[in-house]
Amino acid sequence: PAAPPAPAAPPAAAVPAEPADWAEPAEPAEPEEPADVNEDEEQDAGTHAHSQTTIVTHGQLDLGTPPQQAFVLVDHGQAFANAGMDDVMQARSRLGDGPALWFRQGDKRYVVRDPMLIQSLQRAYAGAVDLSRQQSELGRQQSVLGRQQGQLGREQGELGRLQGEEAREIALAAARAARSAINDRDINREAAAEAARATRGAVDDAAIARKAAAEAQRASQVARNRALQSERSREMSRLASQQAALGSQQAALGSQQAALGERQARLQAQAAKQAEQVIARALASGKAERL
């Protein structure tokens, strides 16, 4: 009888892969230093995020120690305040989109939702949003002008560097021409004496031609350098004129920004007085809800 077939060979054991090198964890980035802020800084259009919702704050924000009394009018994505940052966040958390008035006296907090009282404050702050929008647009224009002025300044600096190099080349060329002229005078005196002694004034025309050609070449180089220097000067004058024009535009925008700031300050003062009256009426009439 035939021999039984040989059993199949067992599968080869898989060779385990070498473990990957352990990567050193990256060092955490150092936190950025916070920007310097001034206390009692007026925020004409400050933007704050809360619960994935953006709210724009107008008025005056105390970025340091909270004031003793504060109020925040929340009105559908806008906040009009004379308060600290924490006050604005508390009012936003409590009132949602409003419209409603949140205010604090010491450690006592209140909410006013009466439509008549709220509408009087809405009228008082009616122009604040438009003023802030105008100030923001002026700020954008000033930023654009500032970048243009910076670019012109860099171009002026480069031209100044080139002018310095060209002036140095002109000075060196002039010095070389002066030394050559002195040498030529010495050679001419010696040649004249020799010619007088030898042939009574015979002149080597070829030597004179070579010297004249060399002198013409030097003069041509000096002229080219001076022309280039003059062109650089004209370019520098052109850039200076553009810089002056941008400076005038920047000054005009600054004047407009200052005027808008004064209007914003007057509006804020008037609205703050109106808010004090609304708060007093709400407390007296019982329309202020204690939180």
Side-chain angles (χ1 to χ4, degrees), residues 82-102:
N82 191 337
M85 185 68 72
D86 288 343
D87 295 323
V88 173
M89 300 310 293
Q90 289 181 42
R92 184 71 177 90
S93 176
R94 171 67 66 170
L95 304 181
D97 287 337
L101 173 67
W102 179 99

Side-chain angles (χ1 to χ4, degrees), residues 19 21 48 56 65 104-105 140 165 169 182 189 230 239:
D21 293 336
H48 311 285
V56 180
T65 303
R104 176 177 55 77
Q105 294 182 334
R140 187 193 64 79
E165 293 179 356
E169 289 297 327
I182 292 173
R189 283 196 295 270
S230 177
L239 291 177

Side-chain angles (χ1 to χ4, degrees), residues 5 8 18 28 41 43 55 70 116 128 130 151 180 194 224 267 275:
E18 295 184 1
E41 179 181 354
Q43 302 288 327
I55 184 168
M116 297 298 293
D130 184 57
Q151 178 61 31
S180 177
E194 183 65 24
R224 284 196 298 270
L267 186 150

Side-chain angles (χ1 to χ4, degrees), residues 44 67 98 122 130 153 170 177 197 200 231 253 269 274 277 287:
D44 291 331
Q122 288 173 325
D130 184 57
I170 290 174
R197 287 192 299 270
R200 289 185 169 275
E231 181 182 350
L253 291 177
Q274 181 66 23
Q277 296 174 10
K287 293 179 179 179

Side-chain angles (χ1 to χ4, degrees), residues 27 122 129 250:
E27 295 184 1
Q122 288 173 325
V129 175
Q250 193 73 273

Side-chain angles (χ1 to χ4, degrees), residues 257-268:
Q257 193 73 272
L260 289 177
E262 292 176 359
R263 290 174 57 189
Q264 190 75 271
R266 288 195 299 270
L267 186 150
Q268 172 64 22

Side-chain angles (χ1 to χ4, degrees), residues 198-251:
T199 62
R200 289 185 169 275
V203 180
D204 189 345
D205 292 339
I208 292 175
R210 286 194 298 272
K211 292 175 183 177
E215 183 63 27
Q217 184 177 4
R218 287 194 295 270
S220 176
Q221 182 62 42
V222 170
R224 284 196 298 270
N225 287 340
R226 288 177 177 170
L228 186 58
Q229 185 78 352
S230 177
E231 181 182 350
R232 299 293 188 196
S233 297
R234 288 193 297 271
E235 180 67 11
M236 183 66 82
S237 297
R238 184 184 67 81
L239 291 177
S241 298
Q242 292 182 18
Q243 192 73 274
L246 289 177
S248 297
Q249 295 178 48
Q250 193 73 273

